[in-house]
Amino acid sequence: MKSYPYPLLKPPSFAWDRSAAPAEPKVNEWIETLEVAHADQTDWSAVDATILGIPLSRSSISASAASENPDAMRRAWKYFTTYNLDHDVDLSEMRVVDLGDVRQHVTDIARCHQNIREAMQAMRTHHPQVLPVMMGGDHSITAMLIKGYKDAHPHDRVGILQLDTHFDLRDLADNGPSNGTPVRNLIESGTVKGEDVHNIGLHGFFNARSLKTYADEVGVCYTTLREARKQGVAQTVKEALESLSQRVDAIYLTVDMDVLDSSYGPGVPASTPGGMSSDELFEAVHVAGLCYKVKAMDMVCLDPFKDRGEATVKTAVHVMLSFLTGYKQRLK
Amino acid sequence: MKSYPYPLLKPPSFAWDRSAAPAEPKVNEWIETLEVAHADQTDWSAVDATILGIPLSRSSISASAASENPDAMRRAWKYFTTYNLDHDVDLSEMRVVDLGDVRQHVTDIARCHQNIREAMQAMRTHHPQVLPVMMGGDHSITAMLIKGYKDAHPHDRVGILQLDTHFDLRDLADNGPSNGTPVRNLIESGTVKGEDVHNIGLHGFFNARSLKTYADEVGVCYTTLREARKQGVAQTVKEALESLSQRVDAIYLTVDMDVLDSSYGPGVPASTPGGMSSDELFEAVHVAGLCYKVKAMDMVCLDPFKDRGEATVKTAVHVMLSFLTGYKQRLK
Amino acid sequence: MKSYPYPLLKPPSFAWDRSAAPAEPKVNEWIETLEVAHADQTDWSAVDATILGIPLSRSSISASAASENPDAMRRAWKYFTTYNLDHDVDLSEMRVVDLGDVRQHVTDIARCHQNIREAMQAMRTHHPQVLPVMMGGDHSITAMLIKGYKDAHPHDRVGILQLDTHFDLRDLADNGPSNGTPVRNLIESGTVKGEDVHNIGLHGFFNARSLKTYADEVGVCYTTLREARKQGVAQTVKEALESLSQRVDAIYLTVDMDVLDSSYGPGVPASTPGGMSSDELFEAVHVAGLCYKVKAMDMVCLDPFKDRGEATVKTAVHVMLSFLTGYKQRLK
Amino acid sequence: MKSYPYPLLKPPSFAWDRSAAPAEPKVNEWIETLEVAHADQTDWSAVDATILGIPLSRSSISASAASENPDAMRRAWKYFTTYNLDHDVDLSEMRVVDLGDVRQHVTDIARCHQNIREAMQAMRTHHPQVLPVMMGGDHSITAMLIKGYKDAHPHDRVGILQLDTHFDLRDLADNGPSNGTPVRNLIESGTVKGEDVHNIGLHGFFNARSLKTYADEVGVCYTTLREARKQGVAQTVKEALESLSQRVDAIYLTVDMDVLDSSYGPGVPASTPGGMSSDELFEAVHVAGLCYKVKAMDMVCLDPFKDRGEATVKTAVHVMLSFLTGYKQRLK
Amino acid sequence: MKSYPYPLLKPPSFAWDRSAAPAEPKVNEWIETLEVAHADQTDWSAVDATILGIPLSRSSISASAASENPDAMRRAWKYFTTYNLDHDVDLSEMRVVDLGDVRQHVTDIARCHQNIREAMQAMRTHHPQVLPVMMGGDHSITAMLIKGYKDAHPHDRVGILQLDTHFDLRDLADNGPSNGTPVRNLIESGTVKGEDVHNIGLHGFFNARSLKTYADEVGVCYTTLREARKQGVAQTVKEALESLSQRVDAIYLTVDMDVLDSSYGPGVPASTPGGMSSDELFEAVHVAGLCYKVKAMDMVCLDPFKDRGEATVKTAVHVMLSFLTGYKQRLK
Amino acid sequence: MKSYPYPLLKPPSFAWDRSAAPAEPKVNEWIETLEVAHADQTDWSAVDATILGIPLSRSSISASAASENPDAMRRAWKYFTTYNLDHDVDLSEMRVVDLGDVRQHVTDIARCHQNIREAMQAMRTHHPQVLPVMMGGDHSITAMLIKGYKDAHPHDRVGILQLDTHFDLRDLADNGPSNGTPVRNLIESGTVKGEDVHNIGLHGFFNARSLKTYADEVGVCYTTLREARKQGVAQTVKEALESLSQRVDAIYLTVDMDVLDSSYGPGVPASTPGGMSSDELFEAVHVAGLCYKVKAMDMVCLDPFKDRGEATVKTAVHVMLSFLTGYKQRLK
């Protein structure tokens, strides 16, 4: 096992006490924290998934503290058991390692983005069989993560399943690689083909018409939430994944938490009335977890400072666990 | 004096800068503000709808800051594009003018009510082809607005589609024309016939039995939310409008925001558990917007001081835009 | 009529003014407060139901102010009429008496529990035809209340319909009779058979796997929320009650308010994403109210200090009133 | 088209209607907004002060929405008259122009900083007799503003009066020109001499010892709040200004709002227990306004998203007005 | 004893349980509630003070729920003992009766004002030796209360000690007898002479210059907070009372809670930075309670919906109790 | 070194990452966490102080989450440097070890109290030269801690300096050893003499008269806040300590955080208007830290669930650090 690129990572600022973890752990007692000093000795072949925090939201168009989300999610792990009663799956039968956070710089956003890209490349290079799960941060990080993925797997055709209220197809010429641009960034840079993106969750008055026009021109697939609900969101996701699976080598799942209705996602500044319920979202990501081509996922744009208590942060943790439930079922 | 370095500066954003409105405006850049000094020169024949604020809530039974709602909605316009992705409709192809607010008096509620009535009469007299949209204020204003409508169109038979958790049929003898009385006020004054009122959204323990008895006596139509959901709220609204359309000349849509479930309408003091979801309400008003007989609408009883952030205020703006989407489709 | 066991009870700290209650009362004007000084003269044969506050939450695993819920619910009665429009039922045709609260001790939880048990036994002994409705407090009280019920009716086989996100089957050996243990407490003490418990509402990652294993071993019935929704929660409840009714003499309905989704139950610290909506819960308890074998009910684990305004407290009052609606329909 | 019934209508209030400003205006009716299209015609010789918003907080070490402060302060102007009763001074006898905001870039912080520097240089070049007042933004902007000042007045020796809980002397090598570095930035770049900086407000455990050591090495003057209170904060400020005035040509007043005690400054994330009261701060800036050498001032690090209502934003507006009161007294 | 004017009063909507009041009562167990049915039998000669709620805030310029303050204060009585440790005074040695609230009308503000005036007249006629304490409501009520006082005592010269951030001298011609006008109302109606009003607490930018000019013209006395603090607020109040006592027969103390600094009065919408501390206010009203000429007092403009918890409501109760402490000391 | 009594302790649920602590640590990087597994090897002679969490608030009369305070304070350590600028003292020159929390039981409060007592005895027995600092919890713990102290030092005469709004002299016969009783508990059990208790901070209406009578009977010393302010709180504390020092062997400092004014202590449910400022409290505990006889201290009754952000929790940390500053100065 080659050494791990420590310089880009820093451990979480706090660690849960796992010494006394019982036979039936809580999620915080189950997920391991990478001990940086001994990272070389980690047996990555026994690890099923890694978790990585990306505490960057300086690149957000609106002021955001989504940078605080990775630690907020870690603190909320304690509210969850590892056992999914709905599917009779126990996540603790998998090994999941929390790598900590990608190092960020206060005043140089380009360097932040580069660090994120390199961290993803490193993960995919050093332990390509391990599933990476990323806790953002704002949506600008997705472009960097997928570029990093391509750096490690240059010959893979990569598709995207996007659960989002927005297209995220804004023009980079306006304000650089902000959180409004990741999908366009990937298409324009040739990283991903327009037709290999499928967005589910669009609705209402939250996208300029020109973005739809652009989406149509570059062939981005999308199903509005109103349409998706006709046969159920989960079934719509399933069909989109089957279609994507036929033409790409890997699917990256990106969950913009603003896809939630504002009553379900009070901690997401950009959540809107008319969005998804928590329940619909859990089912959707569970289906994605089951799909063999899904190789990575992220959750973005949750600002814990705006949350009502920790309600939305808990929802995000549940999204992660529902996804991992599908992944666990896939592994068996 | 040398010229000032404009490129680095931009004006404060909250004085909605329409001069720089892009090709694809936000709602605040699209809706025009009436310039009072030049109101005479306005070409009303090119205007499709007007927006009017009615900042009155002294007439509310419970203490309310619904008077602050018109400005709160205006501030929240900036969160919306003019493009409705669900229906592929661009509202910016219509012209909508914000007339400002009806003047109110601090200690003379009767004068406030009279001003409201006269403002509606004036609008209907000066530009009867323009659709008026009113942002309340509490529900007492609806009686005044419909009376003003009748003042301008004395020979029109006017019906009401009411989305509301309450009958609003309280006795005026108790406390005058408060927000609990508008529908009774209109029936007792002979402005509207009981049978020309259809209320959709009643449920639970929020109306005294005597009000139901009165409603039955005067022939008010109503469908409880529980019944409406059996075939869907939107379909129920559609059928109610078709029935009303056969017997009245004009239908006035009044949306008491307390029809929302309290999880969807935290900013509505009278919202209740068991009420409508945002999604159901958007569909309902969209259907109403499509109906040719619907000639005016209002939204009432939202107190932005009680809101969670601006969640409910945004929902109210979405209600207005969903209604205008139907109206736009009707125009074409 | 035998005298009432005053020593265990204390009146509510405040009382609504009922002197001027109109023909159509609000709930606070309808529910009578037991006048302790004249309790001997109460004609219990004319009383249909009693309400009892159990202000105990020191026994909660997590810090909780559920002890404040009984008074919070009393204060929120004023928001409700007695008339249920959905079912055309007027609760004011029943007589309901608020007995006040069971006395609690600050530092002796065992004594608190004993008081609760004795209060239930006393109620069932002195006026067994009256339906008791209990406002908790945390879920530890349910074990005491059902034991008190059995003390009064030792030959009755008692079943439980539990609406809950959790099994509440934790081991008492760990931390005594806390709010995580009531169902196990009842099973291990032989008060209730495992097979006579039916839990509806479980979901997600909120129960350790060992609890499911234990539930299976002792035969506890359960339907996850995901399964229940396939045919509707109300229908699932109806079938569970029919099944229980065939083998038990009395069914005790316990509503852990944490069964609500956290968007619908912001005042329930243990509410979770993916839970029930208010509407589903109202329908479920209405169905339970209709069932002849249901002889008592409680609502627990609502912490009004954590509520958003009084939204969840109002929801709890609505739960009580929806249940009483079914009960009223049963009586006729 | 017949005329419209103006008497009943008034324009929306938040587009500050200055046309109808009464003889005694509110602050929002008094401060003029620069009309960019006609900026060339402005007679700057009649202007006493300009106000400039600097909506930058991406450069903040901790996540901050101080970028929203300029607009928040503008919205809060309406709560203030122009008349200072304590000093019998009417600010409306001065002309103050709001220039709007310096344009910012979403992902290029260096460009943001350059824009700020150039804006200050331009102001000082085009109308050097006008006092500039800046509403931040985070404290990183102060370095840019003073550099811009020096660009315009390269031969002026500039001093700083800093009201702050922190030294702001962190090493730029760590994370670039963030909000922890402005004073060091100015000293290391040779813009300001260490001895020409006087900080009043330091206290408690909020500065690393090495920063004090650095301050001592480069000769920065400071008076802890505890010392300042012995003779009064205002008197301490007065003496510091007199001392600075003897050796510099111009004094720049920078008010880090975190100097407030956290009970007085709930909207300042970095405010601390043991800080200044509002009253002490108003007196301090009033004294600074009176000092002839004070040529510019800024207020920074207030995050209106964290405020309790608008309490701290109003306090910031009062700081600005108290400073302008002194300036007005100086002018006469 | 003549009968009491019941029609204008209604009892509080709830009453504290006094049946079990211990030897050492809490304030809620001490203050008696007038039993309207037996009001005729009350021995008023044994009563020292009455408390009256005035739940009117429709007359407030800004939207306000100060109407909810009387009940909010009653609920907060439970937090206080009757024993003042600072002065070794036990209030429970006095008899204080809560008369309930003056009836209000929803849509007729003039009738509300008339009811208030008549209620004061009735109190002063039926039991003139009893001290009335009023819980507002907004400040418009003070004009009505003092007019009612004069109706009962037409030959008394009445003075006012006003603790307030504002003059409350706005022109009634603008918007009628709102909360901005009470002092002017009294002066213009000849009820009180300008020179018999002394305002302590003015500061900052919260009064138009014209109001100061008017105050000077009609001879209103005032001491700014800044001036008052030089010798202490309590001493300033003492001297003002001594001066007033020499020329008037009775002094009415009116406490506009907006005199508090906004950190001390978060529940007062008009509280400002730079205002009084709670401590200064308690000392001030204690001094007023000691003054023999002070015959009545009110507290106004506290909106409990805006409070942080019940912090400001508790402060208002403390104001009332501190005043009553002085009154008790005066009685002995 | 004898072994440490592990059974009673559990480590904090999380630990700060100290691996990368810089030369100038934050408080969270400075305070060491006891590694339970290697506690035997700890060289206690090099340790200056220990910190112990006491997460018990079930014994509180009012519902309280003060049990969450120890972890809340630990999380807030990160906001503080170890360097006290006011006194030029660097705490990092001392060694302070966080022992974790005393184990608590959910339903057996007596066992909780016994654990606390034994933990204190163990600390004083195993490393008597180390200063213990306790983070409560409610005030009932103080009686147990001082009893544990006496168990270890049976021949020491122990005095108490109490900073508190209340006497805490309630009768244990009423509800057991709750948070209203600790001082009486200690006096009645003969642990501490009444005359060896000095309370500073009493004021207003927050103690029954009988408690003052009891205090006088048993000789408890007290200085009201009003009296203390005449010469300054710090000076009053100094004199009280000097007086106590003459007659006792050890002084225990107990800080009930409710001594703070409610504007300074929003997170203390029992804080009151008219209480201490943060600044006064910091000075008071600093003086206590300097006193050689002060051998232990605790901070109690802070409920972080009620805090405004973390304002009060930060204040509590500052109290601890201000006390340790004095202790550090004493050591040198």
Side-chain angles (χ1 to χ4, degrees), chain D:
Chain D
M1 176 60 54
K2 288 158 66 183
S3 75
Y4 197 72
Y6 314 112
L8 291 178
L9 295 190
K10 56 174 185 163
S13 63
F14 67 96
W16 300 135
D17 179 35
R18 297 184 71 252
S19 61
E24 292 198 308
K26 291 279 188 171
V27 167
N28 61 304
E29 295 162 328
W30 156 57
I31 294 177
E32 305 169 45
T33 301
L34 181 72
E35 286 186 63
V36 176
H38 309 103
D40 278 17
Q41 287 96 55
T42 306
D43 174 11
W44 291 105
S45 70
V47 174
D48 297 291
T50 53
I51 292 176
L52 185 65
I54 323 259
L56 173 69
S57 52
R58 293 170 203 286
S59 36
S60 173
I61 297 169
S62 307
S64 165
S67 56
E68 310 307 301
N69 179 52
D71 272 357
M73 287 182 68
R74 287 179 180 113
R75 279 192 296 270
W77 287 348
K78 67 178 169 190
Y79 299 113
F80 295 84
T81 67
T82 60
Y83 178 65
N84 186 322
L85 189 77
D86 288 315
H87 300 285
D88 195 20
V89 165
D90 197 328
L91 299 179
S92 68
E93 295 168 1
M94 290 196 293
R95 269 190 74 191
V96 175
V97 175
D98 178 7
L99 299 178
D101 292 340
V102 177
R103 288 188 188 279
Q104 303 296 313
H105 191 273
V106 175
T107 55
D108 185 346
I109 292 173
R111 194 195 301 184
C112 298
H113 278 155
Q114 186 60 26
N115 285 0
I116 295 164
R117 181 172 181 164
E118 291 180 15
M120 185 56 147
Q121 181 184 22
M123 288 195 295
R124 298 306 301 167
T125 304
H126 291 298
H127 37 66
Q129 85 294 349
V130 181
L131 179 87
V133 171
M134 275 68 64
M135 308 184 293
D138 70 51
H139 221 163
S140 76
I141 66 172
T142 301
M144 308 309 147
L145 289 163
I146 295 180
K147 286 182 178 179
Y149 191 99
K150 283 284 282 189
D151 291 340
H153 310 291
H155 305 301
D156 274 14
R157 183 169 169 180
V158 178
I160 298 175
L161 180 73
Q162 180 183 6
L163 302 177
D164 203 333
T165 288
H166 306 94
F167 277 117
D168 287 355
L169 288 169
R170 292 200 193 184
D171 194 336
L172 281 87
D174 292 340
N175 262 305
S178 73
N179 65 333
T181 63
V183 178
R184 185 157 185 164
N185 190 334
L186 290 164
I187 293 170
E188 292 192 343
S189 64
T191 315
V192 172
K193 296 187 182 190
E195 68 199 75
D196 294 344
V197 176
H198 197 130
N199 186 326
I200 297 171
L202 299 160
H203 64 100
F205 298 86
F206 308 106
N207 292 277
R209 182 162 53 173
S210 63
L211 299 183
K212 177 190 180 287
T213 306
Y214 178 84
D216 290 343
E217 285 169 4
V218 298
V220 164
C221 312
Y222 51 88
T223 314
T224 65
L225 183 52
R226 196 166 184 258
E227 288 304 308
R229 279 174 167 156
K230 289 181 179 164
Q231 61 173 345
V233 173
Q235 179 62 22
T236 305
V237 168
K238 187 156 177 285
E239 293 176 9
L241 289 167
E242 285 167 0
S243 171
L244 280 173
S245 291
Q246 289 170 10
R247 57 186 186 271
V248 302
D249 300 296
I251 300 171
Y252 184 101
L253 168 66
T254 182
V255 180
D256 191 324
M257 294 294 290
D258 73 15
V259 79
L260 288 172
D261 185 277
S262 46
S263 69
Y264 289 96
V268 189
S271 67
T272 60
M276 261 187 214
S277 70
S278 302
D279 198 50
E280 288 172 324
L281 183 53
F282 300 158
E283 296 289 330
V285 296
H286 177 244
V287 165
L290 285 166
C291 172
Y292 282 84
K293 285 281 177 73
V294 173
K295 299 290 180 61
M297 73 93 72
D298 66 35
M299 293 155 290
V300 299
C301 289
L302 196 173
D303 177 347
F305 286 6
K306 297 245 176 81
D307 210 357
R308 191 187 67 231
E310 299 172 273
T312 317
V313 172
K314 287 180 189 173
T315 301
V317 174
H318 203 306
V319 164
M320 182 179 86
L321 299 178
S322 293
F323 174 74
L324 288 174
T325 299
Y327 180 63
K328 175 69 173 55
Q329 291 172 301
R330 186 207 307 182
L331 288 181
K332 264 197 292 208

Side-chain angles (χ1 to χ4, degrees), chain B residues 58 106-107, chain E residues 56-61 109 113 138 140-141 177-180:
Chain B
R58 292 171 203 284
V106 174
T107 55
Chain E
L56 173 68
S57 52
R58 293 170 204 285
S59 35
S60 173
I61 298 169
I109 292 173
H113 278 155
D138 69 51
S140 77
I141 68 171
S178 73
N179 65 333

Side-chain angles (χ1 to χ4, degrees), chain A residues 24 79-81 83-88 90-91 93 263-264 278-279 282-283 308 314-315 318 321-322 325, chain C residues 167 202-212 224 226 229 261-264 266 269 271 273-274 308:
Chain A
E24 292 198 308
Y79 299 112
F80 294 85
T81 67
Y83 178 64
N84 185 322
L85 189 78
D86 289 314
H87 300 285
D88 195 21
D90 196 330
L91 299 180
E93 295 168 2
S263 68
Y264 289 96
S278 302
D279 197 52
F282 298 159
E283 294 290 329
R308 191 187 66 231
K314 287 180 189 172
T315 300
H318 203 304
L321 299 178
S322 293
T325 299
Chain C
F167 277 117
L202 299 159
H203 64 100
F205 298 86
F206 307 107
N207 293 278
R209 182 161 54 174
S210 62
L211 299 184
K212 177 189 179 288
T224 64
R226 197 166 183 257
R229 278 174 168 156
D261 186 277
S262 46
S263 67
Y264 289 96
S271 67
R308 191 188 65 230

Side-chain angles (χ1 to χ4, degrees), chain B residues 178-217:
Chain B
S178 74
N179 65 333
T181 63
V183 178
R184 186 158 185 163
N185 189 335
L186 291 165
I187 292 170
E188 292 192 343
S189 64
T191 316
V192 172
K193 298 186 180 190
E195 69 199 75
D196 294 345
V197 177
H198 196 129
N199 186 325
I200 296 171
L202 299 159
H203 64 100
F205 298 85
F206 307 106
N207 292 277
R209 184 162 51 173
S210 63
L211 300 183
K212 177 189 178 288
T213 306
Y214 177 84
D216 290 344
E217 284 170 5

